[in-house]
Amino acid sequence: MANASLQSFLLPQHHSFVNTSSSHESSPSALLKLSNTGGSISFRLYSNISPSVTTTSTTNSSAPTPVPPAADLLPAPSLDLLGRQLAAGDYRQADETTRALLIDLAGESARRRGYVFFSEVQFISAEDLCAIDKLWKEHSNGRFGYSVQRRLWEKSQRDFTRFFIRVGWMKKLDTEIEQYNYRSFPDEFMWEMKDDTPEGHLPLTNALRGTQLLGNILTHPAFEEENHKDEATAESATAAATTGQSKDDNKGRERPKIMRDFKPDYSF
């Protein structure tokens, strides 16, 4: 019955599948025939000039129609996500999340553009920058983070070339003359915590084509207070080493003005 019903439906409408010649007396150049075998309906197209073409449709198949997989969606950047990635030691993805967080925190224009202008760093709150920095330090034994980079940058006398060498963003070339070259992103950067991973190596900031963005991050008010603490600690240690006295020996004594004004040499 199913075969008869389909034939009664298809055959009267065979003109939709048949190409006729310009002469009414000539036979059609193509003919559609239907057959039903074992629950499978076959449509065979016979042509005067080309081999037959068969299309098969299974009527009783229980297999579901395949659905193309949905596009993979990246998780929204958040401090919680950053913390989980750092705790798992996935520094590569944590670096990407940090970059995405900076874009999100910098404002609507940065989000539309997909990157941060150096002038937009001022719109990122000190609280948010400190929270990002704290996570990096907590999960790297204090070796990674913006405040760590700020300290090393100051020790490099704010010279970015010397800073890049110090944090390992530039590599020494095997030449007779001492020469350095920028590392190739991402393969030549270090995504694991090892003994030879330079302090301050992460997070990365796109500073190789311009240092203004990184400079504005490192001079953000979020890191000013901590930098002053580092300077005070360095001055105190230098003073103790210079005078040969311990902290207890200096109790109750006012430091000479020349020592109060002394600034240690941060060069290397």
Side-chain angles (χ1 to χ4, degrees):
M1 291 295 292
N3 191 14
S5 299
L6 283 171
Q7 285 179 337
S8 63
F9 173 75
L10 290 172
L11 294 180
Q13 304 180 50
H14 72 276
H15 61 275
S16 299
F17 303 94
V18 174
N19 291 325
T20 57
S21 63
S22 56
S23 172
H24 293 289
E25 297 177 358
S26 62
S27 61
S29 60
L31 179 64
L32 182 67
K33 289 187 178 181
L34 178 146
S35 62
N36 187 353
T37 305
S40 179
I41 300 175
S42 296
F43 302 92
R44 186 173 294 274
L45 182 65
Y46 292 90
S47 172
N48 294 343
I49 58 176
S50 63
S52 62
V53 180
T54 303
T55 302
T56 303
S57 174
T58 303
T59 57
N60 297 327
S61 174
S62 59
T65 303
V67 178
D72 293 333
L73 298 178
L74 295 176
S78 66
L79 290 173
D80 182 62
L81 175 62
L82 177 61
R84 294 198 307 271
Q85 291 169 339
L86 288 170
D90 191 352
Y91 295 111
R92 177 72 179 88
Q93 286 302 316
D95 186 68
E96 291 291 341
T97 298
T98 299
R99 186 175 296 107
L101 275 172
L102 292 180
I103 294 172
D104 189 56
L105 295 170
E108 182 61 31
S109 296
R111 288 192 288 270
R112 288 198 304 267
R113 191 187 314 114
Y115 57 90
V116 182
F117 280 149
F118 72 91
S119 58
E120 295 170 328
V121 174
Q122 61 182 315
F123 303 132
I124 303 176
S125 72
E127 181 181 3
D128 288 327
L129 268 183
C130 285
I132 294 173
D133 181 62
K134 182 180 179 181
L135 287 173
W136 275 100
K137 288 193 297 184
E138 283 182 352
H139 297 288
S140 66
N141 296 323
R143 295 178 62 185
F144 295 156
Y146 288 125
S147 61
V148 177
Q149 292 174 348
R150 164 69 183 251
R151 172 171 52 81
L152 298 175
W153 183 52
E154 294 287 356
K155 287 185 176 182
S156 303
Q157 297 179 332
R158 296 195 174 191
D159 183 293
F160 277 106
T161 299
R162 302 171 80 178
F163 171 74
F164 290 165
I165 295 172
R166 189 173 192 129
V167 299
W169 292 359
M170 298 181 76
K171 61 180 180 179
K172 188 176 181 179
L173 301 179
D174 187 15
T175 56
E176 293 183 0
I177 302 175
E178 186 175 358
Q179 290 181 311
Y180 292 83
N181 197 9
Y182 296 120
R183 292 186 182 273
S184 176
F185 179 87
D187 295 336
E188 291 188 346
F189 284 86
M190 305 173 196
W191 304 109
E192 297 179 1
M193 178 65 71
K194 297 180 179 179
D195 292 339
D196 60 346
T197 304
E199 185 182 20
H201 190 70
L202 297 173
L204 299 179
T205 303
N206 188 14
L208 303 184
R209 288 179 292 177
T211 57
Q212 286 182 303
L213 174 60
L214 180 58
N216 276 263
I217 291 175
L218 298 183
T219 55
H220 194 281
F223 309 120
E224 288 293 336
E225 183 177 351
E226 185 164 352
N227 182 64
H228 292 325
K229 291 179 181 178
D230 291 338
E231 288 183 349
T233 302
E235 288 182 3
S236 177
T238 303
T242 302
T243 61
Q245 295 174 330
S246 66
K247 291 183 178 180
D248 292 336
D249 294 333
N250 287 326
K251 278 186 178 180
R253 299 181 184 179
E254 183 181 359
R255 295 175 61 201
K257 184 176 185 304
I258 188 172
M259 295 305 300
R260 292 200 303 269
D261 296 338
F262 177 77
K263 298 294 183 183
D265 182 5
Y266 286 125
S267 63
F268 71 98

